[in-house]
Amino acid sequence: MPVSALTENLKRDSQPDVSNGTASPSRDIPVSSGQSLTREVSRSLQTRESFSFGTSPDQQRHRPSLANTSHGSASPHLTRTMTGAPPKKLQPFREQDVKILLLENVNKTGQDILRQQGYQVEALKSSLPEDQLIEKIKDVHVLGIRSKTKLNARVLSAAKNLIVVGCFCIGTNQVDLKYAADHGICVFNSPFSNSRSVAELVIAEIISLARQLGDRSNEMHAGTWNKVSSKCWEVRGKTLGIVGYGHIGSQLSVLAESFGMRVIYYDVTNLMALGTAHQVSSLDELLKTADFVTLHVPEIPETKNMISEKQFENMKTGSYLINASRGSVVDIPALIEASRSGKIAGAALDVYPSEPAGNGDYFNNELNSWCEGLRGLKNIILTPHIGGSTEEAQSAIGIEVAESLVRYVNEGVTVGAVNMPEVTLRSLTMDEADHARVVFIHQNVPGVLGRVNKVLSDHNVDKQMSDSRGDMAYMMADISNVRQGEIETLYKDLESLKERIITRILY
Ligand SMILES: NC(=O)C1=CN([C@@H]2O[C@H](COP(=O)(O)OP(=O)(O)OC[C@H]3O[C@@H](n4cnc5c(N)ncnc54)[C@H](O)[C@@H]3O)[C@@H](O)[C@H]2O)C=CC1
Ligand SMILES: O=C(O)CCC(=O)C(=O)O
């Protein structure tokens, strides 16, 4: 199998020949595997004790016990590896030592997968205020969150044992991804499991706004019969302007056309139009043309207050705005003004600059200074960030993210990570006794891999893969002829390298 990925620093380094453990500067390509690890392979029927050290660049981490353990998480999906031997289950700690904290009501599907591994799982229904969060995550190895939990540098720096974060959602703007990567904390998300749910919600909102359904329903709840047709419209033939034509925007495009809408979209990337939609070249062009404007961009500096006073001016009089992306994308005081002046005929908001950590009577001016102004507007649909909140989406997200976490914790595989290079190796198998998997997360500077391979040079490096992203790099190697007593020495030698961020040894 050809080498599948090599890092730039790998090329820069003078590499020892890692295939037989002897230094050979003339051979600069270590053996690597291009095999991709399937989910089935990662769920092994076999169990085996493993040894690893949680690490922190600046603090002593948990030191696992070497005692033999076994666990009962047998999977029905026994798969064979290339050699025909069953894959070996690698675990970084005794299962009962892996501490997982799940916040924000992560779906049971995800909780079950993690519990079946034998990990200690604590699941809370809501997010936590920053100080409580800092206290709570001091010793957790794995953290699961959704969109409300803010993992800034202050919070992450308190989590000395943390090796991985699972965002059980699409957006990862709530996490300081760079800080996490620089400190060896891998972050996963679920890139599209709730996209359809958001798109369907937006379709419902387009029709609801066009027919003023929210207001009529509120009036009926208050006992008022108000049968009107003035300024109520069919959506057929109207123009939908989609800002951000990614997973959600493109799903929406297909759904909207099936209602007879004309679809235009604006995206910073040149993207293939679905159906008869067409891409316009500027946001202003979209705003001037669309009857409904809907936002599906990520929260990044470029999208902050993307729709503000000037953009409302450019919108058609009597048009509608929908925001189910992130609260920071719309300047809400400008929206209130555009609604009061009649410039827009209605809006639907699912997301807000500040959102409460849990359910309750929080949508008031204490949360955001303009909440009560917003609540008093006509034809404004306000929902509590429920775009992705369907049984289907949450169940799929639970499975997808929990599986990524298990693969990372047990096997070091970063495929799907949002802040680290994607590194994988084919599984070790049960017929490979005395093997260990070394994961070395390190600063991306020249010479590191040479020093790492010197440490590994008493062993055969059966396969190795390394890749870098920004200031950090991720190296994974399977080495053989490792006696149990040697693992701690290997670990300490790797830990002593000054460029090291995190060392993990799995066996
Ligand atoms: N309300 C809710 O419950 C949910 C909200 N979301 C939010 O929706 C956002 C979009 O989700 P996806 O469609 O899955 O993301 P995506 O990454 O698939 O698509 C985003 C699109 O926006 C484009 N884009 C980026 N910057 C832009 C700019 N300045 N102007 C125009 N286009 C720009 C990108 O090129 C990309 O095509 C997420 O980032 C998340 O914040 C996602 C899921 C649920
Ligand atoms: O429902 C959630 O947890 C957040 C949904 C969301 O905004 C996302 O997936 O980015």
Side-chain angles (χ1 to χ4, degrees):
M1 218 44 202
V3 172
S4 67
L6 293 169
T7 59
E8 285 191 13
N9 65 348
L10 191 62
K11 288 175 192 146
R12 283 199 298 272
D13 288 350
S14 171
Q15 288 298 311
D17 177 351
V18 293
S19 64
N20 62 12
T22 56
S24 167
S26 62
R27 291 187 56 181
D28 64 354
I29 300 178
V31 176
S32 172
S33 164
Q35 298 302 304
S36 69
L37 192 83
T38 63
R39 283 191 179 164
E40 288 73 23
V41 168
S42 75
R43 295 173 179 174
S44 163
L45 202 88
Q46 302 299 325
T47 67
R48 188 170 188 266
E49 186 218 347
S50 69
F51 177 88
S52 170
F53 295 98
T55 55
S56 156
D58 43 27
Q59 179 137 344
Q60 174 105 354
R61 288 188 175 228
H62 172 88
R63 290 289 180 267
S65 154
L66 282 170
N68 280 326
T69 62
S70 65
H71 67 88
S73 62
S75 158
H77 309 289
L78 173 63
T79 49
R80 298 271 152 182
T81 58
M82 276 171 63
T83 64
K88 183 192 291 178
K89 172 136 187 155
L90 295 172
Q91 291 169 283
F93 302 99
R94 285 182 302 159
E95 298 90 333
Q96 65 267 32
D97 287 335
V98 175
K99 285 198 179 156
I100 302 194
L101 176 65
L102 301 177
L103 300 172
E104 304 184 56
N105 205 15
V106 165
N107 194 264
K108 189 171 174 304
T109 52
Q111 296 188 29
D112 287 349
I113 287 171
L114 298 169
R115 289 204 168 95
Q116 277 158 18
Q117 290 293 316
Y119 305 149
Q120 282 183 42
V121 180
E122 182 181 0
L124 303 183
K125 288 228 176 292
S126 69
S127 178
L128 290 173
E130 187 164 304
D131 286 338
Q132 281 179 38
L133 181 62
I134 284 175
E135 195 50 39
K136 191 89 187 159
I137 64 174
K138 275 190 171 137
D139 63 347
V140 306
H141 303 102
V142 179
L143 183 60
I145 61 166
R146 288 170 63 183
S147 58
K148 305 281 184 299
T149 305
K150 303 277 176 263
L151 297 182
N152 55 32
R154 179 170 177 251
V155 173
L156 289 172
S157 66
K160 301 299 182 195
N161 286 346
L162 193 63
I163 56 169
V164 59
V165 171
C167 298
F168 287 77
C169 54
I170 291 180
T172 52
N173 56 292
Q174 69 280 36
V175 183
D176 186 335
L177 296 175
K178 165 101 173 76
Y179 182 94
D182 288 348
H183 291 77
I185 302 165
C186 194
V187 180
F188 291 96
N189 73 339
S190 172
F192 48 78
S193 291
N194 65 16
S195 311
R196 176 67 182 207
S197 300
V198 180
E200 289 188 9
L201 180 76
V202 173
I203 287 291
E205 290 173 338
I206 291 170
I207 297 173
S208 300
L209 289 172
R211 302 293 293 275
Q212 303 177 2
L213 285 192
D215 287 359
R216 291 302 86 76
S217 176
N218 287 343
E219 288 156 5
M220 290 292 273
H221 279 277
T224 304
W225 184 275
N226 184 24
K227 185 175 161 92
V228 289
S229 52
S230 169
K231 307 272 170 56
C232 292
W233 313 99
E234 289 183 356
V235 300
R236 179 173 50 168
K238 306 296 183 299
T239 299
L240 175 64
I242 300 174
V243 182
Y245 202 67
H247 290 111
I248 298 171
S250 56
Q251 275 282 316
L252 182 58
S253 172
V254 174
L255 294 175
E257 284 203 334
S258 71
F259 275 86
M261 296 187 84
R262 179 177 165 251
V263 175
I264 57 174
Y265 61 93
Y266 168 68
D267 198 293
V268 283
T269 308
N270 200 10
L271 292 165
M272 188 188 78
L274 299 179
T276 57
H278 80 271
Q279 186 159 6
V280 296
S281 56
S282 70
L283 178 60
D284 277 350
E285 186 182 344
L286 180 140
L287 296 174
K288 284 181 176 143
T289 319
D291 300 300
F292 296 83
V293 174
T294 184
L295 308 171
H296 301 287
V297 290
E299 180 183 83
I300 47 175
E302 295 85 334
T303 60
K304 188 171 169 58
N305 286 336
M306 187 179 198
I307 304 295
S308 190
E309 215 172 309
K310 178 173 164 294
Q311 288 71 34
F312 281 113
E313 272 169 30
N314 287 340
M315 286 174 72
K316 284 169 80 171
T317 298
S319 59
Y320 305 84
L321 179 75
I322 297 169
N323 184 19
S325 61
R326 284 292 179 262
S328 59
V329 177
V330 175
D331 175 355
I332 305 273
L335 180 147
I336 293 174
E337 186 45 42
S339 170
R340 285 184 180 147
S341 71
K343 178 69 188 183
I344 58 167
L349 302 179
D350 188 43
V351 286
Y352 310 88
S354 288
E355 297 180 2
N359 293 343
D361 299 337
Y362 300 116
F363 199 70
N364 52 42
N365 283 2
E366 266 178 57
L367 184 69
N368 293 293
S369 58
W370 33 255
C371 274
E372 282 151 37
L374 199 58
R375 280 163 45 186
L377 298 175
K378 287 224 169 306
N379 206 19
I380 302 281
I381 298 169
L382 303 174
T383 49
H385 203 150
I386 51 162
S389 297
T390 61
E391 297 285 0
E392 292 91 339
Q394 293 308 311
S395 164
I397 289 172
I399 293 168
E400 185 178 5
V401 179
E403 286 186 344
S404 297
L405 294 175
V406 171
R407 267 198 309 278
Y408 185 75
V409 171
N410 291 357
E411 302 185 48
V413 172
T414 61
V415 173
V418 295
N419 68 337
M420 284 196 183
E422 297 191 282
V423 174
T424 185
L425 291 178
R426 68 176 182 273
S427 291
L428 286 170
T429 55
M430 288 308 292
D431 58 7
E432 294 173 291
D434 301 327
H435 279 63
R437 174 163 290 185
V438 175
V439 172
F440 190 68
I441 306 177
H442 59 92
Q443 290 159 17
N444 183 24
V445 292
V448 182
L449 288 177
R451 286 188 280 283
V452 168
N453 284 322
K454 204 165 166 199
V455 171
L456 303 182
S457 63
D458 285 344
H459 306 277
N460 193 50
V461 179
D462 293 343
K463 46 193 187 302
Q464 184 175 38
M465 184 173 176
S466 180
D467 201 351
S468 63
R469 185 161 168 178
D471 296 335
M472 58 78 61
Y474 193 100
M475 191 280 317
M476 187 150 75
D478 286 346
I479 56 174
S480 52
N481 308 323
V482 189
R483 287 192 303 276
Q484 191 161 314
E486 292 173 319
I487 291 179
E488 185 153 10
T489 311
L490 265 177
Y491 173 79
K492 282 184 179 154
D493 289 349
L494 288 168
E495 281 285 277
S496 71
L497 299 179
K498 68 177 188 313
E499 300 86 357
R500 137 278 187 231
I501 298 174
I502 280 187
T503 309
R504 299 173 68 212
I505 299 182
L506 316 169
Y507 80 107

